[in-house]
Amino acid sequence: MLLIASETIRTSRALNDVAREMSFTLSFFAAADTFAELMLGQSRRIIVLTESDVTSATLHALKAARDRTPFGVIVAADRTSLRGSSEAEVVSKLVELDNIEWVGKDFDFDRLSASARRCRRRMLRISRGEVEQALDDGQFVLRYQPKVERTSKSEWTTREAEALVRWHHPENGLMGPLEFLPEVEAFGLMGRLSEFVLREAANQLLAWRKRGIELNSCINLASSQLGDPNLARTCAAIVRDLGLECSSFTFEVVEQDLADPDAPHIKSLVALRAEGFRVCLDDFRVAASSLSAFEQLPFDEIKIHASALRRAQNDKVAMTVLAAVTGLAHNLGMSVCAEGVEDEETFAFLKTIECDKMQGFLISEAVIPSIIRRVYSAMEGANDEVA
């Protein structure tokens, strides 16, 4: 899927963050004829338009592509202002499109991300049969993104790799998780997919260890799976059948209602830890609901969302709160990981809040095991580049 953006917003941080989080490939256009060329073909697209892009030529290109390929349109402009401009007639035709979102001139990551997700959901048409066939035929594959841990004030060591699932769809090509996981969950097939991911990740750990590479694995669990009373036993059986320790795996889960310690999902997390697995609270955004029950949570780690890091870098109050949260986590025996670390400025900032771990494009993108390149510290303390 392509995210087609105007040159006038090439430098937008929010746009680039959404593209990376949602596994979009970015293409840019500066003129109507370039835009028309990019609309050729049958790939699904989400198009981001600014006010200067709302023209009759753009509308013509959209209409020409409408019967050929599914697409969504996000307009980063003021709708009222456009209706009062010389392009008012174009706007009236544009709003008739089936898949259009308006985010305004001053859009941020959250607004743009929500609109992009809605656009994509309207385009996806994946059947239960396709998902079942993909599971039967081995169309799902894993990519691994390293997570590094601070071992001293200046040294970081790779000790974990997050297993991220992709789908080699026979028609749509390589699809990111947000393009198919909602359907997998809706069809009740998330448990089967997660068991596949756990087995594949476990076998990869074994392959790495045969080469002397001692890494652990991080795996995402869907919220719907936490209602399964047999989850912990099933996962433990898979891992132990392969001769591995449950402590070699960390399950990452997103925040739910954390107020009730007797809720089924809390019991599942407790059961996973009882089997020896580590549990991480993913996408942590320093919400009040999280803080209110922090000391009662059955977590070994929290992973701070990239948006919370950015706020803290630009706001002293947010930075103070985040540093306090990190300190509280440490006092409770939890480690703290920063996700979405992409530049040296963010890397330097992590020292101020005493963050333990990090992952992101500054370290490595998610790649296939055979070409992953990282610095790995062996038992002897030597640093080797691992292929």
Side-chain angles (χ1 to χ4, degrees):
M1 182 181 293
L2 299 175
L3 175 62
I4 304 177
S6 170
E7 290 283 356
T8 58
I9 51 175
R10 178 188 284 272
T11 57
S12 167
R13 180 66 180 268
L15 176 63
N16 284 283
D17 287 348
V18 169
R20 288 180 176 178
E21 179 168 278
M22 301 179 72
S23 301
F24 286 140
T25 299
L26 281 171
S27 295
F28 300 95
F29 66 91
D33 56 346
T34 307
F35 175 67
E37 290 178 7
L38 289 170
M39 289 302 293
L40 296 175
Q42 298 181 349
S43 299
R44 292 167 297 170
R45 301 167 173 84
I46 293 179
I47 303 105
V48 180
L49 304 176
T50 59
E51 185 171 340
S52 61
D53 303 317
V54 180
T55 64
S56 56
T58 298
L59 182 62
H60 177 75
L62 292 173
K63 286 184 174 181
R66 186 161 49 186
D67 296 330
R68 182 178 61 248
T69 181
F71 61 83
V73 177
I74 297 175
V75 186
D78 182 74
R79 190 170 178 176
T80 302
S81 175
L82 276 173
R83 280 178 165 166
S85 70
S86 59
E87 301 294 348
E89 185 176 351
V90 174
V91 175
S92 66
K93 298 292 184 182
L94 194 63
V95 297
E96 295 175 2
L97 295 174
D98 295 331
N99 194 359
I100 186 168
E101 295 278 331
W102 296 78
V103 296
K105 290 182 178 180
D106 301 321
F107 63 88
D108 57 13
F109 170 84
D110 291 330
R111 186 182 299 177
L112 185 62
S113 176
S115 291
R117 291 173 192 275
R118 286 192 291 268
C119 279
R120 180 157 59 183
R121 293 292 298 146
R122 298 185 191 110
M123 288 189 288
L124 291 177
R125 296 292 184 270
I126 298 171
S127 69
R128 181 188 180 94
E130 282 182 284
V131 177
E132 291 177 328
Q133 192 68 47
L135 287 164
D136 291 338
D137 294 348
Q139 295 175 14
F140 290 106
V141 296
L142 297 189
R143 299 290 182 264
Y144 296 89
Q145 185 173 37
K147 181 192 290 186
V148 298
E149 181 176 346
R150 187 193 300 273
T151 54
S152 70
K153 289 186 177 180
S154 59
E155 294 183 354
W156 297 73
T157 300
T158 302
R159 290 182 173 167
E160 298 170 281
E162 182 175 359
L164 301 168
V165 66
R166 304 288 188 263
W167 182 358
H168 266 303
H169 194 282
E171 296 179 2
N172 298 326
L174 189 65
M175 296 170 60
L178 295 178
E179 294 187 74
F180 59 83
L181 288 185
E183 279 78 8
V184 172
E185 189 154 18
F187 298 145
L189 297 171
M190 189 62 78
R192 187 177 169 190
L193 178 61
S194 291
E195 288 182 21
F196 161 80
V197 171
L198 180 56
R199 284 194 179 91
E200 285 292 301
N203 281 315
Q204 184 58 56
L205 288 194
L206 290 172
W208 276 328
R209 290 181 182 185
K210 286 181 179 178
R211 300 180 58 190
I213 304 169
E214 294 292 330
L215 293 178
N216 292 334
S217 184
C218 301
I219 296 172
N220 293 284
L221 279 181
S223 299
S224 60
Q225 294 177 262
L226 299 181
D228 179 5
N230 297 315
L231 175 66
R233 287 194 296 271
T234 300
C235 292
I238 291 172
V239 169
R240 288 170 182 152
D241 283 349
L242 290 170
L244 290 167
E245 313 81 15
C246 293
S247 57
S248 298
F249 298 85
T250 296
F251 286 113
E252 299 187 0
V253 299
V254 296
E255 180 179 344
Q256 295 191 33
D257 180 10
L258 303 171
D260 182 6
D262 296 321
H265 61 273
I266 297 294
K267 290 183 177 179
S268 290
L269 298 179
V270 172
L272 285 168
R273 295 185 77 202
E275 293 286 357
F277 295 106
R278 298 183 75 253
V279 180
C280 171
L281 176 59
D282 199 6
D283 287 347
F284 186 77
R285 300 171 190 254
V286 199
S289 59
S290 302
L291 296 175
S292 64
F294 211 48
E295 61 182 354
Q296 303 175 31
L297 302 180
F299 291 108
D300 301 283
E301 183 170 310
I302 60 172
K303 182 182 281 189
I304 302 171
H305 194 271
S307 62
L309 282 176
R310 287 194 296 272
R311 283 195 299 272
Q313 285 177 266
N314 300 309
D315 186 312
K316 289 185 177 180
V317 173
M319 182 181 73
T320 301
V321 172
L322 187 56
V325 168
T326 302
L328 177 58
H330 288 159
N331 289 336
L332 295 172
M334 302 179 191
S335 56
V336 180
C337 177
E339 65 176 341
V341 180
E342 299 180 356
D343 51 54
E344 293 290 343
E345 181 181 0
T346 305
F347 171 71
F349 173 74
L350 297 182
K351 297 179 182 178
T352 67
I353 60 171
E354 298 185 355
C355 195
D356 307 297
K357 304 178 182 180
M358 65 174 171
Q359 67 182 131
F361 278 41
L362 182 65
I363 308 302
S364 172
E365 61 182 329
V367 296
I368 62 177
S370 61
I371 63 170
I372 192 168
R373 313 294 290 184
R374 73 186 71 192
V375 174
Y376 175 76
S377 294
M379 294 289 291
E380 295 80 11
N383 290 333
D384 300 313
E385 192 175 61
V386 177

